[in-house]
Amino acid sequence: MKRTNILLDEKLVDNCLKATGIKTQRALIDHALRELLRHEKQTKLLELKGGINWSGDLEEWRKGRSS
């Protein structure tokens, strides 16, 4: 864990606490940072769309799953 002091926009924090139902500022900031990382990972995955070539028989591949 890392401890730091930061100035936060009180109205923004209050609005976010109400919107999420999160009880503490610490939990809210933790949630926001995790969501930021999740969003960045999704963005990077979306950038791969159309850039990966796959050749194979999808129907044959799916047959192996239905056991």
Side-chain angles (χ1 to χ4, degrees), residues 2 8 12 14 16 29 35 37 41-42 52 54-55 61 63 66:
K2 183 175 182 175
L8 300 172
L12 178 61
D14 288 342
C16 290
I29 292 169
E35 284 297 305
L37 281 177
K41 287 178 184 178
Q42 284 180 339
I52 297 174
W54 180 76
S55 60
W61 184 69
K63 288 179 188 176
S66 58

Side-chain angles (χ1 to χ4, degrees), residues 38-49:
R38 186 182 66 80
H39 176 76
E40 291 301 318
K41 287 178 184 178
Q42 284 180 339
T43 300
K44 288 180 180 168
L45 283 174
L46 288 173
E47 288 172 0
L48 294 174
K49 184 178 181 182

Side-chain angles (χ1 to χ4, degrees), residues 13-62:
V13 171
D14 288 342
N15 288 337
C16 290
L17 289 169
K18 288 175 188 172
T20 62
I22 295 173
K23 301 295 182 197
T24 67
Q25 290 183 11
R26 181 176 184 256
L28 180 69
I29 292 169
D30 185 63
H31 174 74
L33 291 172
R34 290 179 192 280
E35 284 297 305
L36 176 65
L37 281 177
R38 186 182 66 80
H39 176 76
E40 291 301 318
K41 287 178 184 178
Q42 284 180 339
T43 300
K44 288 180 180 168
L45 283 174
L46 288 173
E47 288 172 0
L48 294 174
K49 184 178 181 182
I52 297 174
N53 294 320
W54 180 76
S55 60
D57 186 345
L58 188 57
E59 290 302 318
E60 186 66 30
W61 184 69
R62 287 180 176 163

